[in-house]
Amino acid sequence: MSGYRTTGGDGRRTTVRKGIATVLVTAVGAAVLAGCGLKDLREESDGAGGGTDPGQAASDTFTPKAPVPGGKPLDGGSRLPAAPKADDGDPTSVARAWATVAYGYDTAYDQGRQDAVLRTLPFLTTARASAEREHVSAGGTGGDWNVWAGHRAWTTVRLTFEDGDDDLPPDTPVLAYREIFVEGTAHGRDGWTGPGPRLMASVKLTRTVGGPWRVADVRVVEEALPPAARPSAPASPSVTPPVRKN
């Protein structure tokens, strides 16, 4: 996904949206024709790496990554607000509630992003919820998470919906797509404030006729955090060259 990342600037959201639109329009066409969901890119964002052909045989030197342990249930000490209530008859409302919960982390309780994803189960289709319950995150949580955890931070998000996007098909009685730009802020329990999750999420929602809208699939393009938000190596001590004496 690194090919779609961007950093800062007034055109940040436009750059991310254009990157995902090209990928999404092909995926959407395939989903409509084949009746299947969008490809889930969570494994790439979890640090498993992209571009690997799933049909390739594992080499003898391949070492599976250890699963990331789950966090603990939220209680009164968590700084996260209660999950928002969604209007099940409005796909935008359901998508908004899903994104608010999916990107609301509390590192004093969560061990990784999947802990927040599991809190979104009420907004997911039965098939998607089952897949999320069975999903085991592998590898590290990333440098940004390490920064947040160092401050025992929780995150809040501001959501912007891309309205009137011609790249997405119109809603039908049982199928809808929404693009959401997520801008998060991390709040440390030590008073620190920094950038939180920042990404474009394209959400596929489905329902039976007259039933509640639920999130069926998600495609995510993450934005690279500013360098200042990432841990930096200590600066090398400056060395003053000796003065040559004649």
Side-chain angles (χ1 to χ4, degrees):
M1 293 201 308
S2 59
Y4 297 102
R5 294 191 178 186
T6 181
T7 55
D10 295 338
R12 177 180 59 201
R13 182 169 62 195
T14 301
T15 304
V16 176
R17 191 190 68 78
K18 286 182 178 178
I20 197 171
T22 303
V23 178
L24 181 67
V25 69
T26 302
V28 167
V32 172
L33 292 176
C36 61
L38 301 179
K39 180 183 177 184
D40 183 2
L41 298 186
R42 177 183 50 216
E43 288 298 340
E44 284 87 339
S45 65
D46 280 347
T52 302
D53 182 355
Q56 291 178 342
S59 67
D60 294 337
T61 58
F62 175 76
T63 302
K65 295 182 179 180
V68 175
K72 56 186 180 179
L74 302 182
D75 57 25
S78 174
R79 304 296 177 87
L80 294 178
K85 296 189 180 214
D87 177 357
D88 289 340
D90 180 1
T92 299
S93 177
V94 174
R96 181 183 299 279
W98 167 83
T100 301
V101 176
Y103 298 104
Y105 311 133
D106 189 337
T107 61
Y109 292 80
D110 299 334
Q111 291 298 311
R113 294 168 175 82
Q114 185 65 9
D115 291 320
V117 171
L118 292 176
R119 292 193 285 269
T120 70
L121 295 183
F123 307 116
L124 305 183
T125 62
T126 300
R128 181 75 182 194
S130 177
E132 295 297 358
R133 288 189 187 97
E134 295 175 1
H135 177 76
V136 178
S137 298
T141 51
D144 49 358
W145 187 278
N146 294 337
V147 172
W148 303 333
H151 297 280
R152 289 174 54 80
W154 74 97
T155 61
T156 57
V157 295
R158 183 167 69 92
L159 308 178
T160 304
F161 281 74
E162 297 294 330
D163 296 326
D165 194 334
D166 294 335
D167 292 323
L168 298 180
D171 292 355
T172 76
V174 295
L175 180 65
Y177 292 91
R178 295 293 183 269
E179 279 195 348
I180 312 171
F181 188 69
V182 179
E183 292 182 278
T185 302
H187 312 269
R189 284 173 168 80
D190 56 3
W192 172 86
T193 301
R198 304 204 174 181
L199 54 101
M200 178 70 79
S202 285
V203 184
K204 174 186 174 183
L205 301 103
T206 61
R207 68 171 178 174
T208 57
V209 177
W213 286 101
R214 292 292 181 260
V215 174
D217 270 299
V218 179
R219 178 175 288 271
V220 172
V221 174
E222 293 189 14
E223 178 188 38
L225 285 177
R230 298 188 180 278
S232 57
S236 300
S238 58
V239 177
T240 303
V243 178
R244 177 179 297 178
K245 295 183 180 179
N246 295 327

